[in-house]
Amino acid sequence: MSMRYIISFLLCLVTLSSISQNELMQKYDLMPWPKEVADNSQKFIIDRHFTIAVNDIENAKIFKSTTSFLRRLSGRTGVFIQKGFAVDTSEVKNPSLLINFERPGKLEINEDESFELVVTSMQITINAVTDIGVLRALETLLQLSSNTKTEFFFQGAIINDAPRFPWRGLMIDVARHYEPLDVLKRNLDAMALVKLNVFHWHLTDDQGFRVQVNSWPKLHELGSDKQYYTQNEIKELVQYASDLGIRVVPEFDIPGHATSWLVAYPEIASKDTIYEIERYAGIFDPTLDPTNNKTYGILNDVFSEMALLFPDKYFHIGGDENEGKHWDENKEIQAFKKKHDLKTNHELQNYFNIKVLEILKKNNKIMMGWDEIFQPNLPKNVVIHSWRGKESMLKAAKQGYKTVLSKGYYIDLLNSVTDHYNNEPIVESNGLTDEQLKNILGGEAAMWGELVTPLTIDSRIWPRTAAIAERFWSDKNVKDVKNMYKRLQTVSNRLEELGITHIRNRDVILRNISNYQNISSLINLTGICEPLKAYQRNKGGTEYKSYSPFTQFVDACNTDAVDARYFNENVDHYLQHPTEETKTILISLFDKWIQNNAEFIKINNNPMLNEIASLSQNLAEISSILKGQLQQSKFDSANYLYAQELLKELSMPTADTELAIVPGLKKLTSTMSD
Amino acid sequence: MSMRYIISFLLCLVTLSSISQNELMQKYDLMPWPKEVADNSQKFIIDRHFTIAVNDIENAKIFKSTTSFLRRLSGRTGVFIQKGFAVDTSEVKNPSLLINFERPGKLEINEDESFELVVTSMQITINAVTDIGVLRALETLLQLSSNTKTEFFFQGAIINDAPRFPWRGLMIDVARHYEPLDVLKRNLDAMALVKLNVFHWHLTDDQGFRVQVNSWPKLHELGSDKQYYTQNEIKELVQYASDLGIRVVPEFDIPGHATSWLVAYPEIASKDTIYEIERYAGIFDPTLDPTNNKTYGILNDVFSEMALLFPDKYFHIGGDENEGKHWDENKEIQAFKKKHDLKTNHELQNYFNIKVLEILKKNNKIMMGWDEIFQPNLPKNVVIHSWRGKESMLKAAKQGYKTVLSKGYYIDLLNSVTDHYNNEPIVESNGLTDEQLKNILGGEAAMWGELVTPLTIDSRIWPRTAAIAERFWSDKNVKDVKNMYKRLQTVSNRLEELGITHIRNRDVILRNISNYQNISSLINLTGICEPLKAYQRNKGGTEYKSYSPFTQFVDACNTDAVDARYFNENVDHYLQHPTEETKTILISLFDKWIQNNAEFIKINNNPMLNEIASLSQNLAEISSILKGQLQQSKFDSANYLYAQELLKELSMPTADTELAIVPGLKKLTSTMSD
């Protein structure tokens, strides 16, 4: 067996084409891009006789992942694969896919996830140190599937792969909006598809306490609107993640962001008042009382209980955005600060953190917290989670703290994927030694939940997070944005196959707001409208409550609107090379938007479309003007002025979206007067 | 409060328009249709100030259902309802919706589900005996929502409602294909929407044993491919159903359909052989040994354990399709029959059933089984579940047995909804006394799982089951098929809103088989192609294994294809009244199908489309001929012969679908030679 592997490997080497990295990235839609990949110009045909053999089929991760692999492959291709399960190596001669691994992996940081994957026309082999490496390899193999008009096949390749960073995470905030277990499960599936390995579960915040706690049950009873995970569900999710080679790091955000704790137990608050679950978004004042022994009593019980529920070594205590207003208002807390020589609220929070650290240590956990916990006197064995900037991350790493970066990966900002993709964690000339660089464990995409529900959360996470996953896994030199977009499109399709709802739920929203009429005109508008970025949608956090409707046109829109990118690019082409060809592309887009308004008007009988009507109308009008301009190439000052007026309106947010073709429209309009 | 109710009720009566049942059914898209409806020509405007008050907000069912009501209403309308939760009657003056009920309902058969719902322009009131009645009323109220271009409102109405039958069920078979909990939960939501109240959970069969059993753990360990519900999940689902006023009746199918039991414990089989989980569909021979004490030992332990897990009084033991082949082959069983004077295998099975009945009685359960358990000597307190015919149901009812009907409601046959809707359970001149008629408890739609997966099951259940639900709830005189189709369309949309995936997942399948290109040509084809009916898709059960791909074109098709119905109707219109108008409709459909083939050809680059290509081509050609014929109205014998040839091909199944416009095409073609 190992002999056969060596031979096929040698055979491959012989026939390797010498093509460039660029060409490889055109050929293979792999994401994250592997460490080493070579093209052997072969392909493995997928037919009903496909079989898998493994050296240890009793391994539960391997059984589940190979079974799931076969279902996904069969579902994608329609091939009636006769053998529905992988078998032991001894049970089949010449399996199509031969898997070998050395040992079960541990769900710990720095566990070996490396693998070799070789696809020849004769056989596919996976070799890995751990079963987790096998999972990673199976995902890569599924990304190699392709088809002609008559057959499906795996692209031939020789791949050696291993991650750049050991900590590659996605944080999901289930406090602002509760997300049922199935939403989390499908997102874990998607994480595994792009080789993310840490699910950071933001479980408590002002808007909700989402875990059943037996020691202090009012936390979930009063702090959750009855929307919480039972301990059985937590165990189920941790197991589900584990089967995918994903660690689960829970976050209980304290001492701020803690209204839901105080709804349950106001006696540990810093201010004597009546607490209610927060319905708005923002930074609020309710804070645990760091001078009250009962606070630590409750924290001790809750965290000791949670420590058993969450097996991972790391335990996130939040610690962010505590402005200490209620501390300042409380005379006893002021007296306490004086007595203990704590000059600032930061020092008081540090005092608090060190007490919490003792509780976690006792429970054999490593403490992790956001930037703000990084204070002098903090022991070195805590992890600093940077959300405010790379500088603080580098500073912490330099001082010997382990760090994880989320600054630049806040996907709820709804910025373009390009921004996140270009956000290289480790800047040049960072002044760190190689040893200090190792303190940078990796990063996490952060999905804050104020504006998402089960209907929309997938579209806010995916496909962008796949590009972030590549940033964490692949070499820093993998950074061709245009090629990333090409590969991301394929990953996006595969995510749909896996159950992610980012595409299908767009149409669900559009059907509702159109009274279930023909939605093609609305789909076209989502091709050029993007949700407002950088929290402009809910300025000040007071427009949307947690139970406001997230079923609007904007919720069907997404970043990186596809027609908008195409239009803006082609405006640039046209302005550089005003050929008939580039002109034709622009004119056909203008025709589309002119026609679209006519279609839109037919279905415009639902109040939820009111705000869109003027957008659609203005778009049709400016399209008409610019089309005329392109065709006639002569200046008409009345048209120009009217176009300027329309542009002004189109540049304003509409129904919480922005028209992403405005840059191109502006450029074209400005040429009218040239 | 009750005074106010009376006054508003009187006000309504004063302004009641006297319109016919027909007009009412045009106005209101209610399904199931209520017992009594009156139109008061009013409407209640839905705005941000909408509030709900209840006389007991501590009731968990009421808290959950009113919260869910508010989320659904807000999501549907986009209205930012300020008050996110219902409150106690004492806390708000003049609530928009005032709910009163007398007591918590019990999840038992014959519990009171009646309600009064009055919508005036001033207020909406719900009065019910039980909280379950309130749930039913809230669903009706949501069905009254409507909109103009500028506002949303509830249609004014005075409704008095109560069900015709107390047992209104949906059976889902999770043995042939495992369905994760979230699939079942969304189907329970949908059941509640149409007032079904029994979830019959077919948990075991030859292809899988889907429950964790602690007393005999190999059942789930070896009998399920690791796809089973933990006991915690069962409890969770039972609670979820209970919150919706739905009972859960488990089925453990014995003594046949029991391969999965024997994979775990071959020692209780009737034949000494090696058992493996069945991968095909059909009727198989493995059968429990009714002469072996260990069989009853295991059944006693398992059922006693399950009795605690499933609180409902009723317990379904299957009992169907045992052909007794392995009994005939076993000499000891033959000897046993002689010794106990059991002449036939039916008598042996009756012996078995009576032993099982003792176990269930001891656990305080009422036994239920399919037709085959209906044998002389069977005690009267068992329920006969008729799948073979109404005659056996009537016979059983006449003899004093309680009965439930599923014959005519097998939705996996993929027949038209019309068939199920027209299937009145109680035929005229049935010869039963009024007392005997009460033995007919109701019916169940039956979703057998051989050909469905989580991706497709919703589209096989919905929307058709809504029409069946109406058959069980509404008066037998509610039977206008055309109007049913109109109301069903609205229900179908509301089911999508609720999370049912019957519409969205069609596109998921089509995107995959088209390599994620433009799927509009495929959507058009699903408008006229229907899945093969009556199990023709998997003749003999040997083409599809349980893990074969159900991701094909046919899986995106559904019964009652919408363009097909439209076309066939319009052919009839045209043939009766060959006006320009009817001609134009037909020609525009032919144009659509001609154009469609051109679009299809552009995307035809995936092997999964191969079989569709000729269908699309032939359709375009016959469309072209018939269009020409309609336009020219002169006979062309060559065209006629070619059309006949095309029709022959189009009448053959393609890719497991049938072309549902063939009847109309045939009629039109035959007129060519007239």
Side-chain angles (χ1 to χ4, degrees), chain A residues 644-661:
Chain A
Q644 289 289 7
E645 222 171 280
L646 289 167
L647 259 182
K648 209 166 145 188
E649 284 196 45
L650 289 169
S651 303
M652 305 286 285
T654 302
D656 289 338
T657 69
E658 62 186 31
L659 187 65
I661 55 170

Side-chain angles (χ1 to χ4, degrees), chain A residues 75 82 496 511 547 551 605, chain B residues 75 82 147 496 511 547 551:
Chain A
Q82 286 298 297
E496 162 147 302
R511 278 192 283 269
Y547 48 73
T551 52
N605 64 1
Chain B
Q82 286 300 295
N147 69 280
E496 162 148 301
R511 279 192 283 270
Y547 47 73
T551 51

Side-chain angles (χ1 to χ4, degrees), chain B residues 327-328 337 341-350 375:
Chain B
W327 291 352
D328 295 338
K337 278 171 73 177
D341 195 27
L342 301 164
K343 295 190 185 66
T344 64
N345 283 339
H346 287 306
E347 288 186 21
L348 178 55
Q349 186 167 344
N350 203 41
Q375 294 288 332

Side-chain angles (χ1 to χ4, degrees), chain B residues 510-521:
Chain B
L510 298 180
R511 279 192 283 270
N512 181 56
I513 65 178
S514 68
N515 282 3
Y516 296 87
Q517 298 173 92
N518 186 338
I519 58 170
S520 58
S521 64

